[in-house]
Amino acid sequence: MADPFIRFRGVSKAFNGRPVLAGLDLEVARGETLVIIGRSGGGKSVLLKHLIGLLRPDAGSILVDGRDIVPLDEEAMAAVRVRFGMVFQGAALFDSLTVEDNVGFALRRQGRPEAEVRRIVEERLAEVGLPGAGPRKPAELSGGMRKRVGLARALAVNPEAVLYDEPTTGLDPVMADAINDLIVETRERLGVTSIVVTHDMTSAYKVGHRIAMLYEGRVRATGTPDEIRASTDPVVAQFIAGRAAGPIDVRSLA
Ligand SMILES: Nc1ncnc2c1ncn2[C@@H]1O[C@H](COP(=O)(O)OP(=O)(O)O)[C@@H](O)[C@H]1O
Ligand SMILES: [Mg+2]
């Protein structure tokens, strides 16, 4: 890949002596949507946390726009972090704050004028299909609406890349598909680079330009949705078949 926006090189991370990432290499092109699949507990969330400096690798480099972020101090890391919008698993909204205060949180922290914050918040809420939801509290919203608020919040500060951690998990198929549409629309409207972590293959095929499968701490396979669907790698084929077969057998996740 000529000039990737994100590049993991030989990234390793262990917790209590147990390797989770083991020399992982991965590149994400500018404007691309890369979907990361892999079993539960396989290190997908850990991978995303490395990109925003919530975790530091034991070895390897992580280049963002050509610069290694691993050696950065906390202040320099904070400057990198604002380039990413993160849509966390479970939306992770502040329940005591209104929707408007959740979406405007980072903007206010940047000291933007109040009128501007209000304008941006209303625009972002409209873009995710929730115009006028500002005064409501997260507890009053459905799971799908909370995910939309999470996306509006991630987009508030005009990130160059958006990271989605299990954006459709816990949603019914109709709501999940609405979120998939929103991920595609967001990329088309803003041209952002996107990384979507999921174990939902319907979502992976729909939103991904490319899919990468994480397995035993490395990228086992990458390809377009068609290539991954046709993969003859038994590990990939078995994973996909398991997801398509209906409810997840929890024993397969252990
Ligand atoms: N901060 C942490 N401390 C210790 N272990 C962790 C930490 N974060 C993640 N892990 C472990 O790393 C493994 C991968 O977790 P995770 O990335 O959350 O998996 P998933 O692919 O389901 O997102 C799990 O075994 C998890 O328990
Ligand atoms: Mg996870």
Side-chain angles (χ1 to χ4, degrees), residues 15-16 18 20 39-47 55 89 165:
F15 294 108
N16 308 316
R18 202 178 73 82
V20 173
R39 70 184 195 182
S40 186
K44 302 183 298 299
S45 296
V46 163
L47 184 66
L55 290 170
Q89 213 160 346
D165 197 352

Side-chain angles (χ1 to χ4, degrees), residues 21-215:
L21 304 179
L24 176 134
D25 296 312
L26 181 65
E27 297 183 349
V28 189
R30 283 163 216 280
E32 167 177 56
T33 298
L34 177 79
V35 172
I36 299 174
I37 60 173
R39 70 184 195 182
S40 186
K44 302 183 298 299
S45 296
V46 163
L47 184 66
L48 292 186
K49 285 175 183 165
H50 277 83
L51 256 185
I52 53 174
L54 294 181
L55 290 170
R56 304 268 178 171
D58 302 328
S61 54
I62 302 169
L63 285 79
V64 173
D65 215 358
R67 183 166 70 140
D68 189 1
I69 63 170
V70 172
L72 299 183
D73 63 21
E74 194 40 48
E75 191 185 347
M77 192 62 227
V80 173
R81 202 173 287 141
V82 298
R83 302 175 74 171
F84 293 96
M86 179 92 191
V87 183
F88 289 97
Q89 213 160 346
L93 303 175
F94 297 113
D95 286 324
S96 60
L97 301 183
T98 61
V99 165
E100 122 91 29
D101 288 341
N102 267 284
V103 177
F105 190 81
L107 295 167
R108 293 204 168 92
R109 226 174 25 182
Q110 288 177 351
R112 306 272 199 104
E114 190 54 28
E116 187 185 325
V117 173
R118 286 182 181 277
R119 179 182 57 75
I120 294 171
V121 167
E122 199 40 55
E123 272 174 27
R124 292 296 175 269
L125 285 174
E127 283 163 8
V128 300
L130 292 173
R136 300 174 74 177
K137 286 283 186 69
E140 301 166 35
L141 307 177
S142 70
M145 290 165 89
R146 291 168 64 91
K147 300 263 181 175
R148 286 166 183 273
V149 174
L151 178 58
R153 183 180 59 184
L155 296 176
V157 289
N158 287 327
E160 292 166 69
V162 184
L163 313 179
Y164 300 88
D165 197 352
E166 306 274 8
T168 60
T169 297
L171 301 181
D172 67 56
V174 174
M175 280 217 196
D177 209 45
I179 295 293
N180 291 334
D181 287 339
L182 203 53
I183 293 170
V184 172
E185 277 166 38
T186 298
R187 160 184 94 217
E188 286 173 354
R189 195 178 65 244
L190 304 173
V192 289
T193 304
S194 312
I195 301 181
V196 182
V197 160
T198 188
H199 53 243
D200 170 355
M201 289 310 299
T202 307
S203 180
Y205 292 139
K206 179 150 183 182
V207 307
H209 292 126
R210 271 193 317 138
I211 298 172
M213 179 166 175
L214 199 59
Y215 182 74

